Each structure stands twice: as structure tokens, then as C-alpha cells.
Amino acid sequence: MTFTLQIGDQAPNFKLKGTDGEIHALKDYNKAKLLVVFFTCNHCPFVLNSNELTQATVEEFSDQGVSFVAINSNSANTNDADSFENMVKKMEDKQYPWPYLHDESQEVAKAYGALRTPHFYVFDEDRKLIYTGRAVDNPKDPDKVKEKNLEQALLEKLSGKPISVPLTNPIGCNVKWDGEDASWMPPEACDLV
């Protein structure tokens, strides 16, 4: 059994509190042509160094019917930077153009099979998975980025083309699972390709 959602799988439902104080659910994004769900956090250098690239992608595609939802599933017991209070502070400071949701129970991360931060999932209008993996090939050093896999997948889908690379390995820190060592990953979790 694989840990991560497979291409063609249905988007698992979620109902999570956002830093805006609202409860967000999968159905709230029904009008989006495409939905990008990505697992992220407050402290991982791969996230921190690539947030501007992610923001540029959001700004490029949000007026084309693409919605983006960020989820932090990291245990605050492993790293206090990932507490809900610190998520709120991060959004107040950075004003990122996406809802930022807290998966305190980590059930949503398990349902999606989130491996790392960041880890991106793109769903079509029927909420079937059409791309998963990384946004770029070098999230830790944006100046060295050669491939923008997320952007490519969105462009191809929106232009009616098949997605040429539907699966890449996410690059980043592993999800911090509650009660586990900071570097622990589920035994069935492995590289996607």
C-alpha cells in the first residue's frame, strides 16, 4: 500500500481552522477549475526560501480559476514554530495570498499522504489528482531553480494538454509527526518516483 495519493485519486475531504479564524472545507472550493492543496509549515528552510516563488505562482494563476490552500500539519510538540498562534503571526507578517489551515490532528496529512514541506497536490475540476510532488527543483535556493514543475502542470492543464510530468518527488523537510522523532517518516512512505 502506498502512503501518498496516486494520480487519479479523489481529493480527501478536510474541515480545518484557518488563521483567518474561519473553518475551511474542501467543498468551499467547488467553483475552482483547479485546486492546489499544499502542505507547508513555518520553519522549514525549503518552505521559507521558496514561499516567494509559490506566491508568484498563486498570483499568476488565481485569476485563471485556480484556488490554492496551504495546510500546516506539523506537530507543534516537535517544533513550536508550527503552533497555530505562530501560524497566525506568520500570516499577519507575510500576508500570503492563500488560506493557511491548521491540521492539528494530522488526519488530513495522513489522508493525503503528505511527505514533506512543501508538498503540492493539484486536483482537476472533478477533484481528481492530476499532479503531485514539488513546485520547483531547488526550493532551498531559488536562484538555482531550473524546473518549475507545479507551474508547468497548471499551464498544461489549463491549455488542454496532458500533464507531461504528473509525479515528482517533493523536496523539503519531512512532516513532523506528533510523538515521533523529528526525522521520522511512516514506514510505507517512500519516494514517489
Side-chain angles (χ1 to χ4, degrees), residues 133-180:
R134 66 194 188 200
V136 296
D137 62 344
N138 198 334
K140 202 168 185 183
D141 190 349
D143 293 334
K144 294 182 179 173
V145 167
K146 292 189 176 78
E147 294 178 19
K148 295 183 176 181
N149 304 96
L150 174 63
E151 197 173 295
Q152 177 183 325
L154 294 173
L155 284 168
E156 288 173 344
K157 180 62 179 175
L158 290 170
S159 62
K161 297 177 184 171
I163 293 177
S164 54
V165 182
L167 212 58
T168 58
N169 286 323
I171 301 171
C173 303
N174 60 295
V175 172
K176 306 305 179 205
W177 299 100
D178 196 43
E180 300 290 351

Short mmCIF file of all heavy atoms in Angstrom, two decimals, residues 133-180:
data_model
loop_
_atom_site.label_atom_id
_atom_site.label_comp_id
_atom_site.label_asym_id
_atom_site.label_seq_id
_atom_site.Cartn_x
_atom_site.Cartn_y
_atom_site.Cartn_z
N GLY A 133 3.79 16.45 -5.97
CA GLY A 133 5.24 16.50 -5.78
C GLY A 133 5.71 17.89 -5.41
O GLY A 133 5.12 18.56 -4.58
N ARG A 134 6.77 18.30 -6.09
CA ARG A 134 7.42 19.58 -5.77
C ARG A 134 6.85 20.70 -6.65
O ARG A 134 6.26 20.45 -7.70
CB ARG A 134 8.91 19.45 -6.02
CG ARG A 134 9.26 19.23 -7.48
CD ARG A 134 10.68 18.78 -7.66
NE ARG A 134 11.03 18.76 -9.09
CZ ARG A 134 12.04 18.08 -9.60
NH1 ARG A 134 12.80 17.35 -8.81
NH2 ARG A 134 12.30 18.12 -10.89
N ALA A 135 7.08 21.93 -6.21
CA ALA A 135 6.76 23.09 -7.05
C ALA A 135 7.93 23.39 -7.96
O ALA A 135 7.75 23.67 -9.15
CB ALA A 135 6.42 24.29 -6.19
N VAL A 136 9.13 23.35 -7.39
CA VAL A 136 10.35 23.65 -8.15
C VAL A 136 11.43 22.64 -7.78
O VAL A 136 11.34 21.96 -6.77
CB VAL A 136 10.85 25.09 -7.87
CG1 VAL A 136 9.84 26.13 -8.34
CG2 VAL A 136 11.17 25.30 -6.39
N ASP A 137 12.48 22.60 -8.61
CA ASP A 137 13.53 21.60 -8.39
C ASP A 137 14.57 22.01 -7.37
O ASP A 137 15.40 21.20 -6.97
CB ASP A 137 14.20 21.23 -9.72
CG ASP A 137 14.91 22.41 -10.38
OD1 ASP A 137 14.63 23.57 -10.00
OD2 ASP A 137 15.73 22.18 -11.28
N ASN A 138 14.53 23.26 -6.91
CA ASN A 138 15.51 23.70 -5.91
C ASN A 138 14.86 24.71 -4.96
O ASN A 138 15.18 25.90 -5.01
CB ASN A 138 16.75 24.29 -6.58
CG ASN A 138 17.95 24.34 -5.64
OD1 ASN A 138 17.78 24.40 -4.41
ND2 ASN A 138 19.13 24.30 -6.18
N PRO A 139 13.94 24.25 -4.09
CA PRO A 139 13.24 25.19 -3.21
C PRO A 139 14.14 25.84 -2.17
O PRO A 139 13.80 26.90 -1.64
CB PRO A 139 12.16 24.33 -2.55
CG PRO A 139 12.66 22.93 -2.65
CD PRO A 139 13.48 22.87 -3.90
N LYS A 140 15.28 25.24 -1.89
CA LYS A 140 16.16 25.82 -0.88
C LYS A 140 16.99 26.97 -1.43
O LYS A 140 17.44 27.84 -0.69
CB LYS A 140 17.08 24.74 -0.31
CG LYS A 140 17.64 25.10 1.06
CD LYS A 140 18.29 23.90 1.72
CE LYS A 140 18.72 24.23 3.13
NZ LYS A 140 19.41 23.11 3.76
N ASP A 141 17.20 26.98 -2.75
CA ASP A 141 17.99 28.04 -3.38
C ASP A 141 17.29 28.50 -4.67
O ASP A 141 17.58 28.01 -5.76
CB ASP A 141 19.40 27.54 -3.69
CG ASP A 141 20.33 28.67 -4.12
OD1 ASP A 141 19.84 29.80 -4.38
OD2 ASP A 141 21.55 28.44 -4.19
N PRO A 142 16.34 29.43 -4.53
CA PRO A 142 15.54 29.87 -5.68
C PRO A 142 16.37 30.37 -6.87
O PRO A 142 15.91 30.27 -8.01
CB PRO A 142 14.68 31.00 -5.11
CG PRO A 142 14.61 30.71 -3.64
CD PRO A 142 15.93 30.09 -3.29
N ASP A 143 17.57 30.88 -6.62
CA ASP A 143 18.40 31.36 -7.72
C ASP A 143 18.89 30.23 -8.62
O ASP A 143 19.33 30.47 -9.74
CB ASP A 143 19.62 32.13 -7.19
CG ASP A 143 19.22 33.44 -6.51
OD1 ASP A 143 18.14 33.98 -6.87
OD2 ASP A 143 19.95 33.90 -5.62
N LYS A 144 18.81 29.00 -8.13
CA LYS A 144 19.28 27.84 -8.90
C LYS A 144 18.14 27.01 -9.48
O LYS A 144 18.36 25.92 -10.00
CB LYS A 144 20.18 26.97 -8.02
CG LYS A 144 21.47 27.66 -7.61
CD LYS A 144 22.35 26.76 -6.79
CE LYS A 144 23.66 27.49 -6.42
NZ LYS A 144 24.46 26.70 -5.48
N VAL A 145 16.92 27.53 -9.41
CA VAL A 145 15.76 26.79 -9.94
C VAL A 145 15.86 26.69 -11.46
O VAL A 145 16.05 27.68 -12.15
CB VAL A 145 14.44 27.48 -9.52
CG1 VAL A 145 13.27 26.93 -10.31
CG2 VAL A 145 14.20 27.29 -8.04
N LYS A 146 15.74 25.46 -11.95
CA LYS A 146 15.74 25.22 -13.40
C LYS A 146 14.38 24.70 -13.87
O LYS A 146 14.01 24.89 -15.02
CB LYS A 146 16.82 24.21 -13.76
CG LYS A 146 18.24 24.73 -13.58
CD LYS A 146 19.26 23.74 -14.15
CE LYS A 146 20.67 24.29 -14.07
NZ LYS A 146 21.25 24.20 -12.75
N GLU A 147 13.66 24.01 -12.97
CA GLU A 147 12.36 23.45 -13.34
C GLU A 147 11.28 23.95 -12.39
O GLU A 147 11.45 23.91 -11.18
CB GLU A 147 12.40 21.91 -13.26
CG GLU A 147 13.32 21.27 -14.28
CD GLU A 147 13.35 19.76 -14.13
OE1 GLU A 147 12.42 19.18 -13.52
OE2 GLU A 147 14.32 19.15 -14.62
N LYS A 148 10.18 24.41 -12.99
CA LYS A 148 9.01 24.85 -12.21
C LYS A 148 7.88 23.87 -12.50
O LYS A 148 7.02 24.12 -13.33
CB LYS A 148 8.64 26.29 -12.58
CG LYS A 148 9.70 27.30 -12.18
CD LYS A 148 9.27 28.72 -12.48
CE LYS A 148 10.30 29.71 -11.98
NZ LYS A 148 9.88 31.11 -12.25
N ASN A 149 7.92 22.73 -11.82
CA ASN A 149 7.02 21.62 -12.13
C ASN A 149 5.55 21.94 -11.87
O ASN A 149 4.68 21.55 -12.65
CB ASN A 149 7.43 20.37 -11.35
CG ASN A 149 8.87 20.00 -11.62
OD1 ASN A 149 9.74 20.37 -10.84
ND2 ASN A 149 9.13 19.29 -12.70
N LEU A 150 5.27 22.63 -10.78
CA LEU A 150 3.88 22.99 -10.46
C LEU A 150 3.32 23.92 -11.53
O LEU A 150 2.24 23.70 -12.07
CB LEU A 150 3.80 23.65 -9.08
CG LEU A 150 2.44 24.21 -8.68
CD1 LEU A 150 1.39 23.12 -8.59
CD2 LEU A 150 2.55 24.97 -7.36
N GLU A 151 4.08 24.94 -11.86
CA GLU A 151 3.66 25.91 -12.87
C GLU A 151 3.42 25.21 -14.21
O GLU A 151 2.43 25.47 -14.90
CB GLU A 151 4.75 26.98 -13.00
CG GLU A 151 4.31 28.23 -13.68
CD GLU A 151 5.40 29.30 -13.60
OE1 GLU A 151 5.71 29.75 -12.48
OE2 GLU A 151 5.94 29.65 -14.65
N GLN A 152 4.33 24.32 -14.58
CA GLN A 152 4.22 23.58 -15.84
C GLN A 152 2.93 22.75 -15.86
O GLN A 152 2.20 22.74 -16.86
CB GLN A 152 5.43 22.67 -16.03
CG GLN A 152 5.38 21.79 -17.27
CD GLN A 152 6.57 20.86 -17.35
OE1 GLN A 152 7.67 21.20 -16.95
NE2 GLN A 152 6.34 19.67 -17.86
N ALA A 153 2.64 22.06 -14.76
CA ALA A 153 1.43 21.23 -14.70
C ALA A 153 0.18 22.10 -14.84
O ALA A 153 -0.77 21.73 -15.56
CB ALA A 153 1.40 20.46 -13.38
N LEU A 154 0.15 23.24 -14.17
CA LEU A 154 -1.01 24.13 -14.26
C LEU A 154 -1.17 24.68 -15.67
O LEU A 154 -2.29 24.70 -16.21
CB LEU A 154 -0.86 25.28 -13.25
CG LEU A 154 -0.91 24.88 -11.77
CD1 LEU A 154 -0.60 26.08 -10.89
CD2 LEU A 154 -2.26 24.28 -11.40
N LEU A 155 -0.08 25.12 -16.28
CA LEU A 155 -0.13 25.64 -17.65
C LEU A 155 -0.64 24.60 -18.62
O LEU A 155 -1.49 24.88 -19.47
CB LEU A 155 1.25 26.13 -18.09
CG LEU A 155 1.73 27.47 -17.54
CD1 LEU A 155 3.20 27.68 -17.83
CD2 LEU A 155 0.90 28.62 -18.11
N GLU A 156 -0.11 23.38 -18.50
CA GLU A 156 -0.52 22.32 -19.41
C GLU A 156 -2.00 22.00 -19.26
O GLU A 156 -2.73 21.89 -20.25
CB GLU A 156 0.34 21.07 -19.19
CG GLU A 156 1.77 21.25 -19.69
CD GLU A 156 2.71 20.11 -19.33
OE1 GLU A 156 2.37 19.29 -18.44
OE2 GLU A 156 3.78 20.04 -19.94
N LYS A 157 -2.47 21.85 -18.03
CA LYS A 157 -3.87 21.51 -17.80
C LYS A 157 -4.80 22.62 -18.29
O LYS A 157 -5.80 22.35 -18.96
CB LYS A 157 -4.11 21.25 -16.30
CG LYS A 157 -5.54 20.89 -15.96
CD LYS A 157 -5.99 19.62 -16.64
CE LYS A 157 -7.43 19.26 -16.26
NZ LYS A 157 -7.90 18.10 -17.02
N LEU A 158 -4.46 23.86 -17.99
CA LEU A 158 -5.31 24.99 -18.39
C LEU A 158 -5.35 25.18 -19.90
O LEU A 158 -6.32 25.72 -20.44
CB LEU A 158 -4.86 26.27 -17.70
CG LEU A 158 -5.13 26.33 -16.19
CD1 LEU A 158 -4.43 27.52 -15.56
CD2 LEU A 158 -6.62 26.36 -15.88
N SER A 159 -4.31 24.73 -20.59
CA SER A 159 -4.29 24.86 -22.05
C SER A 159 -4.81 23.59 -22.74
O SER A 159 -4.73 23.46 -23.96
CB SER A 159 -2.89 25.19 -22.55
OG SER A 159 -1.99 24.15 -22.23
N GLY A 160 -5.34 22.65 -21.96
CA GLY A 160 -5.95 21.46 -22.53
C GLY A 160 -4.98 20.36 -22.92
O GLY A 160 -5.36 19.40 -23.58
N LYS A 161 -3.73 20.50 -22.51
CA LYS A 161 -2.72 19.49 -22.83
C LYS A 161 -2.62 18.46 -21.71
O LYS A 161 -2.94 18.76 -20.56
CB LYS A 161 -1.35 20.16 -23.02
CG LYS A 161 -1.29 21.13 -24.17
CD LYS A 161 0.07 21.80 -24.21
CE LYS A 161 0.12 22.85 -25.30
NZ LYS A 161 1.34 23.65 -25.24
N PRO A 162 -2.15 17.26 -22.04
CA PRO A 162 -1.89 16.30 -20.96
C PRO A 162 -0.71 16.78 -20.11
O PRO A 162 0.19 17.46 -20.62
CB PRO A 162 -1.55 15.00 -21.69
CG PRO A 162 -1.18 15.41 -23.07
CD PRO A 162 -1.87 16.71 -23.36
N ILE A 163 -0.71 16.43 -18.85
CA ILE A 163 0.39 16.83 -17.98
C ILE A 163 1.57 15.91 -18.25
O ILE A 163 1.48 14.69 -18.08
CB ILE A 163 -0.05 16.81 -16.50
CG1 ILE A 163 -1.09 17.91 -16.31
CG2 ILE A 163 1.14 17.02 -15.57
CD1 ILE A 163 -1.68 17.99 -14.95
N SER A 164 2.65 16.51 -18.71
CA SER A 164 3.81 15.72 -19.16
C SER A 164 4.54 15.05 -18.01
O SER A 164 5.07 13.95 -18.18
CB SER A 164 4.77 16.61 -19.97
OG SER A 164 5.13 17.75 -19.22
N VAL A 165 4.59 15.70 -16.85
CA VAL A 165 5.25 15.12 -15.68
C VAL A 165 4.28 15.21 -14.50
O VAL A 165 4.27 16.20 -13.77
CB VAL A 165 6.58 15.85 -15.35
CG1 VAL A 165 7.28 15.19 -14.17
CG2 VAL A 165 7.50 15.89 -16.56
N PRO A 166 3.42 14.19 -14.31
CA PRO A 166 2.41 14.27 -13.26
C PRO A 166 2.92 13.96 -11.86
O PRO A 166 2.23 14.23 -10.88
CB PRO A 166 1.37 13.23 -13.69
CG PRO A 166 2.14 12.25 -14.50
CD PRO A 166 3.25 13.00 -15.16
N LEU A 167 4.14 13.42 -11.77
CA LEU A 167 4.66 12.95 -10.49
C LEU A 167 6.12 13.36 -10.34
O LEU A 167 6.95 13.06 -11.20
CB LEU A 167 4.59 11.41 -10.52
CG LEU A 167 4.34 10.64 -9.24
CD1 LEU A 167 3.06 11.06 -8.56
CD2 LEU A 167 4.31 9.15 -9.57
N THR A 168 6.42 14.05 -9.25
CA THR A 168 7.81 14.36 -8.89
C THR A 168 7.96 14.10 -7.41
O THR A 168 6.97 14.03 -6.67
CB THR A 168 8.18 15.83 -9.19
OG1 THR A 168 7.29 16.68 -8.47
CG2 THR A 168 8.11 16.15 -10.68
N ASN A 169 9.18 13.97 -6.96
CA ASN A 169 9.42 13.82 -5.52
C ASN A 169 9.40 15.20 -4.86
O ASN A 169 10.08 16.11 -5.32
CB ASN A 169 10.78 13.17 -5.27
CG ASN A 169 10.76 11.69 -5.59
OD1 ASN A 169 9.77 11.01 -5.36
ND2 ASN A 169 11.84 11.19 -6.15
N PRO A 170 8.61 15.36 -3.78
CA PRO A 170 8.66 16.62 -3.06
C PRO A 170 10.04 16.79 -2.43
O PRO A 170 10.65 15.80 -2.01
CB PRO A 170 7.56 16.48 -2.00
CG PRO A 170 7.35 15.01 -1.84
CD PRO A 170 7.71 14.38 -3.15
N ILE A 171 10.50 18.01 -2.39
CA ILE A 171 11.82 18.32 -1.81
C ILE A 171 11.59 19.23 -0.63
O ILE A 171 11.02 20.31 -0.78
CB ILE A 171 12.74 19.01 -2.85
CG1 ILE A 171 12.94 18.11 -4.07
CG2 ILE A 171 14.07 19.39 -2.22
CD1 ILE A 171 13.65 18.80 -5.22
N GLY A 172 12.03 18.80 0.55
CA GLY A 172 11.86 19.63 1.73
C GLY A 172 12.08 18.85 3.01
O GLY A 172 12.58 17.72 2.99
N CYS A 173 11.69 19.44 4.12
CA CYS A 173 11.77 18.78 5.42
C CYS A 173 10.62 17.79 5.51
O CYS A 173 9.55 18.02 4.95
CB CYS A 173 11.62 19.81 6.54
SG CYS A 173 12.83 21.14 6.50
N ASN A 174 10.84 16.69 6.23
CA ASN A 174 9.73 15.75 6.40
C ASN A 174 8.67 16.36 7.33
O ASN A 174 8.97 17.21 8.16
CB ASN A 174 10.24 14.41 6.97
CG ASN A 174 10.91 14.57 8.30
OD1 ASN A 174 11.95 15.19 8.41
ND2 ASN A 174 10.30 14.03 9.35
N VAL A 175 7.43 15.92 7.14
CA VAL A 175 6.35 16.33 8.05
C VAL A 175 6.74 15.89 9.46
O VAL A 175 7.27 14.80 9.66
CB VAL A 175 5.02 15.69 7.62
CG1 VAL A 175 3.93 15.96 8.66
CG2 VAL A 175 4.58 16.23 6.26
N LYS A 176 6.51 16.76 10.43
CA LYS A 176 6.84 16.47 11.84
C LYS A 176 5.64 15.80 12.50
O LYS A 176 4.63 16.44 12.80
CB LYS A 176 7.22 17.74 12.59
CG LYS A 176 8.33 18.56 11.94
CD LYS A 176 9.59 17.74 11.70
CE LYS A 176 10.67 18.59 11.04
NZ LYS A 176 11.61 17.78 10.27
N TRP A 177 5.74 14.49 12.69
CA TRP A 177 4.63 13.70 13.23
C TRP A 177 4.67 13.72 14.75
O TRP A 177 5.72 13.53 15.35
CB TRP A 177 4.71 12.27 12.69
CG TRP A 177 4.60 12.22 11.20
CD1 TRP A 177 5.62 12.10 10.30
CD2 TRP A 177 3.41 12.34 10.42
NE1 TRP A 177 5.14 12.14 9.01
CE2 TRP A 177 3.78 12.28 9.06
CE3 TRP A 177 2.05 12.48 10.75
CZ2 TRP A 177 2.85 12.36 8.02
CZ3 TRP A 177 1.12 12.57 9.71
CH2 TRP A 177 1.53 12.50 8.37
N ASP A 178 3.51 13.94 15.33
CA ASP A 178 3.41 14.04 16.79
C ASP A 178 3.84 12.74 17.47
O ASP A 178 3.45 11.65 17.05
CB ASP A 178 1.97 14.38 17.20
CG ASP A 178 1.89 14.88 18.62
OD1 ASP A 178 2.75 15.68 19.03
OD2 ASP A 178 0.97 14.46 19.34
N GLY A 179 4.68 12.87 18.49
CA GLY A 179 5.13 11.72 19.25
C GLY A 179 6.26 10.95 18.61
O GLY A 179 6.70 9.93 19.15
N GLU A 180 6.73 11.41 17.46
CA GLU A 180 7.82 10.72 16.75
C GLU A 180 9.06 11.61 16.73
O GLU A 180 8.98 12.83 16.90
CB GLU A 180 7.40 10.38 15.32
CG GLU A 180 6.19 9.48 15.21
CD GLU A 180 6.44 8.04 15.67
OE1 GLU A 180 7.62 7.69 15.91
OE2 GLU A 180 5.46 7.29 15.79
#
